[in-house]
């Protein structure tokens, strides 16, 4: 096996074509340079340099090896340099994931604040789907994810994830068809939701991830969903998908309707289209009533349900100064704006 130092000596001799200058440049003895070249030649089975008392020149094999190794060696050095720059300096590209229109605008405003502090930063946005969960982080699609406690309950996060503090909270609302009986209500109790067809985020078993650490109890699993769709404590009735009418909390399905497990969706647009068509209902954060408003969908406040809590999460192994700077900018933006999802005047 060729060692890194041996490659460096060979490349330096190839650049200098002089053993003495190569030794001086590398701060080693001429004897060390000569022994290393001889060792490499034995490994290759042929001479790499033609050496006389007056000159050093490549052999044909030596030149080919030099031309093959030099760009590959430089690529390795460049990769390490970029890693060091990302780890030590607040510059470079940060990929931030979000879910929904309002959170996208929040991420954009935080990115603008970050750039005023660190002009060398570039933030690239990535819209996640309901079914993605934390997969984009684990698959190296994004570096940071703005996510709520229903999509990734903090109490059941895997230990390899770092979660920042709660940035803001939102009251839950039930999105229903404008023709639905609940659309005329001032509010709906969380215990009533199980009477209606609740839409389901489409499961992706091939991308499912654990939401609990090995050996620890997981959050309560959402029926029929991938493992990542665990429900936060106290929110079970928001996602009530009973198998039969006898299990409905208020004595069965509403008259004239077949309650149960609703249709599946993968994006906000799919969810709204299904709700507008009367295919089911779904709990959403309150900002959806403004950013996802449409004439065929109504939003009804939910009583007795926990709030949506939004925070940034990232892989602990990918933690660096750029990630932390973005998290700090997010906290500072929220501190300066009582309603962080509303554009500043």
């Amino acid at each position: 096996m060729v060692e890194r130092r041996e490659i460096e000596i060979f490349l330096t001799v190839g650049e200098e074509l002089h053993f003495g200058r190569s030794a001086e440049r590398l701060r080693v003895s001429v004897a060390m340079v000569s022994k290393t070249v001889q060792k490499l030649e034995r490994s290759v089975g042929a001479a790499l340099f033609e050496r006389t008392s007056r000159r050093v020149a490549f052999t044909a094999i030596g030149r080919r090896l030099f031309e093959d190794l030099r760009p590959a060696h430089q690529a390795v050095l460049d990769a390490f340099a970029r890693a060091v720059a990302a780890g030590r300096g607040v510059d470079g590209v940060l990929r931030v994931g979000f879910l929904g229109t309002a959170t996208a605008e929040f991420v954009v405003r935080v990115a603008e604040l970050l750039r005023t502090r660190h002009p060398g930063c570039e933030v690239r946005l990535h819209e996640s789907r309901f079914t993605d969960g934390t997969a984009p982080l684990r698959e190296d699609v994004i570096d940071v994810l703005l996510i709520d406690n229903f999509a990734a309950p903090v109490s059941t996060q895997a230990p390899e994830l770092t979660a920042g503090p709660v940035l803001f909270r939102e009251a839950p609302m039930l999105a229903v068809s404008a023709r639905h009986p609940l659309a005329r209500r001032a509010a709906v109790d969380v215990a009533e939701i199980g009477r209606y067809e609740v839409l389901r985020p489409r499961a992706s078993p091939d991308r499912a991830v654990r939401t609990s650490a090995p050996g620890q109890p997981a959050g309560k699993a959402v029926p029929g969903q991938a493992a990542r769709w665990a429900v936060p404590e106290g929110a079970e009735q928001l996602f009530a998908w009973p198998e039969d009418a006898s299990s409905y909390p208020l004595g069965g399905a509403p008259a004239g309707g077949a309650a149960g497990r609703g249709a599946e969706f993968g994006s906000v647009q799919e969810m709204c289209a299904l709700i507008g068509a009367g295919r089911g209902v779904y709990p959403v954060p309150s900002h959806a009533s403004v950013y996802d408003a449409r004439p065929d969908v109504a939003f009804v406040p939910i009583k007795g349900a926990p709030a949506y809590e939004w925070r940034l999460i990232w892989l602990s192994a990918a933690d660096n100064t750029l990630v932390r700077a973005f998290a700090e900018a997010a906290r500072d933006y929220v501190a300066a704006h009582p309603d962080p999802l509303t554009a500043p005047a």
Side-chain angles (χ1 to χ4, degrees):
M1 177 65 69
V2 180
E3 298 180 359
R4 174 186 171 186
R5 189 60 168 167
E6 294 170 346
I7 293 175
E8 291 175 345
I9 290 174
F10 168 74
L11 291 175
T12 303
V13 174
E15 292 170 358
E16 298 289 345
L17 291 178
H18 193 284
F19 279 49
R21 289 195 299 268
S22 298
E24 183 178 354
R25 178 173 156 186
L26 294 167
R27 298 185 179 182
V28 298
S29 67
V30 175
M32 171 66 74
V33 173
S34 181
K35 287 180 181 179
T36 300
V37 170
Q38 291 172 5
K39 179 182 177 182
L40 290 173
E41 289 177 329
R42 288 194 298 271
S43 298
V44 172
L48 301 175
F49 298 98
E50 294 177 351
R51 301 183 284 279
T52 68
S53 60
R54 294 184 177 181
R55 64 188 291 269
V56 175
F58 276 118
T59 64
I61 293 176
R63 179 169 295 280
R64 176 62 183 272
L65 180 62
F66 178 82
E67 292 174 351
D68 287 345
L69 278 179
R70 192 177 188 182
H73 181 256
Q74 188 60 49
V76 171
L77 295 179
D78 291 344
F80 273 103
R82 287 192 296 271
V84 170
R88 295 180 180 176
V90 186
D91 58 8
V93 176
L94 184 70
R95 303 163 299 173
V96 182
F98 65 92
L99 179 67
T101 308
T103 53
E105 293 191 17
F106 172 77
V107 169
V108 167
R109 292 196 287 271
V110 173
E112 291 172 350
L113 176 58
L114 180 68
R115 282 195 295 270
T116 63
R117 297 175 174 180
H118 308 286
C121 296
E122 177 187 352
V123 176
R124 296 179 183 171
L125 304 187
H126 174 85
E127 183 176 8
S128 295
R129 294 166 63 88
F130 272 91
T131 50
D132 286 345
T134 58
L137 284 173
R138 302 170 190 273
E139 295 172 2
D140 195 30
V141 175
I142 58 176
D143 304 301
V144 181
L145 176 62
L146 178 64
I147 198 166
D148 66 83
N149 52 321
F150 293 92
V154 174
S155 61
T156 56
Q157 295 259 327
E160 65 268 23
L161 292 174
T162 296
V166 174
L167 294 171
F168 52 89
R169 294 177 173 84
E170 294 184 85
M173 305 187 81
L174 191 66
V176 303
S177 168
R179 304 184 305 276
H180 197 285
L182 290 177
R184 296 183 292 275
R185 296 267 295 272
V188 58
D189 192 277
V190 66
E192 298 180 61
I193 294 177
R195 296 181 55 136
Y196 305 96
E197 291 189 1
V198 181
L199 299 180
R200 296 172 292 151
R202 186 177 299 114
S204 301
D206 58 320
R207 302 184 68 183
V209 296
R210 289 183 59 86
T211 56
S212 63
Q216 295 180 352
K220 297 185 179 181
V222 172
Q225 300 304 301
R228 63 177 171 276
W229 290 98
V231 177
E233 190 69 27
E236 295 83 2
Q237 288 172 301
L238 282 175
F239 302 91
W241 295 311
E243 298 293 340
D244 56 74
S246 63
S247 60
Y248 286 81
L250 297 184
R261 298 170 62 147
E264 295 183 345
F265 67 92
S267 67
V268 174
Q269 291 74 22
E270 289 179 18
M271 178 192 72
C272 291
L274 289 169
I275 292 171
R279 297 286 302 279
V281 302
Y282 198 75
V284 295
S286 57
H287 76 254
S289 63
V290 176
Y291 286 90
D292 300 316
R294 45 188 289 166
D296 57 347
V297 176
F299 297 88
V300 186
I302 301 174
K303 297 187 299 184
Y308 281 80
E309 297 180 340
W310 294 88
R311 67 182 74 218
L312 295 171
I313 63 173
W314 58 90
L315 290 178
S316 301
D319 187 19
N320 57 41
T321 53
L322 183 52
V323 169
R324 293 193 295 274
F326 185 83
E328 180 181 4
R331 292 194 298 272
D332 291 347
Y333 183 88
V334 169
H337 297 81
D339 187 354
L341 295 184
T342 300

